[in-house]
Amino acid sequence: MEKTLRHHDQPSVAVITPTGLDPSRLPFLKELYESLRAQEGVSLEWIIAPNGPKADPDLIPRGITQDRRVTVVARPGPGPAPARNTALNYVSAPRVAFVDDDDRIPPFSLAIRNEHAIVTGLRWVAGRSADWDPVTGSLTTWMCPTPVGRHAPGDVWTHWPDPEASKPPLGHCMLLTDTRLAQAVGHGGLHKGEDYAFLMGVCARAGGELLSDVVYHRRVHEGQWTAEDTYRDQVEFDARRHAWLKGRAERELQAEAPL
C-alpha cells in the first residue's frame, strides 16, 4: 500500500532522496536534513522516497516529517530508480536535484545553481562533488573529466571515451535540472547505474554548464554500496554501456535533427 504525506508551499527547487530507511543510516538522513535546513538564498521542497521491503515511513524522524517543506512518497519495493521517477510526480518546483540519503550539500549548493540557471536560461547547471570524511572533516574534490564551462547538447558524452574504463564524466547528484527535462529523461528501471543513464539523457537533451563551485558532499563510510567489491559486476558494467550507448545515440540524433 502506498503512503504519501504532502505539505509545503510553492518552492523554487525540489530535492529528491530515495532511501531504504536502513536504521543504521537514519543519522545520515538527519544530517542531510540539517544541510537542507542550512540552505540559503532559495526556497525548497524535499521529497523523500522510501523504497524496499524494510522502508517503513514511520522510521523517518518526526522532526523531519513535521517540516511543511517535506513530502514522503513511500513505495513498498520498487528500488531507487522507480522511486526517483515516482517522486518526480510530486515535484511542484521548476527545478530539481537528487541527493542520496547518506550525503549532504553545502549551504549555497542549491542557490548557486538555481540562480545561474535563471540568469542563463540553461536547463541544467552542475557543480563539483567532493568526497567528505565525517571523521576527519576533510573534503577531496573530484576533478571530473568534464571541464568547467558551457556544454552544448550531447557534448558531455565526448568526455567519456570508454565506459569499460570509468564511470560517466559527471555525477547525477551534481546536477540541478529543469523539472520537465528530468521528467522527460527519467531514471529508467535499472537495478544499478540508473543515474548514469539519467545523466547522459539530461546532458544530451539540453545544453548546460559545470561550475567550479563544490555543491555536493559525498560521504565516505563503510556502508557505501558503490565502494563494495561486489558492486563492480557485469550488471554495473552493462549499465555503463547502456548509458554510453544512450549518450551516443542522443548525440547522433541531435546532429541529424532537421532545423
Side-chain angles (χ1 to χ4, degrees):
M1 180 181 298
E2 72 176 46
K3 180 176 180 179
T4 302
L5 299 175
R6 185 172 177 80
H7 40 189
H8 54 72
D9 299 321
Q10 179 62 39
S12 55
V13 172
V15 174
I16 291 177
T17 299
T19 176
L21 290 178
D22 183 333
S24 67
R25 293 166 69 111
L26 289 178
F28 300 162
L29 191 68
K30 291 180 183 178
E31 289 184 61
L32 169 55
Y33 175 57
E34 291 304 319
S35 80
L36 294 178
R37 289 185 63 195
Q39 293 301 298
E40 299 183 27
V42 69
S43 58
L44 64 90
E45 63 181 337
W46 187 22
I47 302 173
I48 306 174
N51 62 94
K54 298 181 180 179
D56 181 356
D58 290 336
L59 292 173
I60 302 173
R62 288 182 56 82
I64 293 177
T65 58
Q66 289 179 339
D67 190 320
R68 296 180 64 251
R69 299 170 297 176
V70 173
T71 299
V72 178
V73 181
R75 300 292 180 263
R84 288 190 182 103
N85 291 338
T86 298
L88 282 167
N89 296 347
Y90 297 85
V91 170
S92 59
R95 295 176 188 82
V96 62
F98 294 91
V99 181
D100 290 342
D101 67 349
D102 53 346
D103 298 332
R104 70 176 188 181
I105 56 176
F108 288 97
S109 171
L110 299 178
I112 288 172
R113 289 175 288 171
N114 186 57
E115 290 172 7
H116 197 74
I118 292 171
V119 170
T120 62
L122 293 170
R123 297 198 183 278
W124 65 265
V125 176
R128 293 195 183 279
S129 176
D131 284 347
W132 163 51
D133 186 335
V135 176
T136 65
S138 66
L139 288 169
T140 304
T141 302
W142 178 41
M143 306 306 289
C144 62
T146 302
V148 168
R150 292 282 183 96
H151 298 279
D155 282 359
V156 168
W157 175 83
T158 66
H159 301 290
W160 192 21
D162 184 0
E164 296 294 322
S166 68
K167 296 193 295 182
L170 277 180
H172 89 297
C173 287
M174 298 159 66
L175 297 172
L176 182 74
T177 305
D178 181 288
T179 298
R180 292 170 301 170
L181 178 58
Q183 290 168 333
V185 172
H187 281 78
L190 298 177
H191 174 58
K192 292 181 180 178
E194 72 284 348
D195 51 321
Y196 306 161
F198 176 79
L199 171 76
M200 286 293 104
V202 165
C203 296
R205 300 280 182 95
E209 185 168 352
L210 173 61
L211 307 177
S212 60
D213 305 85
V214 172
V215 300
Y216 198 83
H217 292 171
R218 181 179 177 273
R219 182 189 297 267
V220 177
H221 65 98
E222 293 182 353
Q224 187 66 256
W225 185 38
T226 57
E228 296 177 3
D229 292 338
T230 55
Y231 187 80
R232 299 285 178 262
D233 59 7
Q234 190 59 50
V235 174
E236 196 266 344
F237 279 96
D238 282 343
R240 290 189 194 183
R241 186 70 179 174
H242 167 72
W244 189 88
L245 290 171
K246 177 184 179 69
R248 185 182 69 177
E250 293 266 19
R251 181 176 169 82
E252 290 176 350
L253 289 170
Q254 286 276 356
E256 294 172 8
L259 295 177

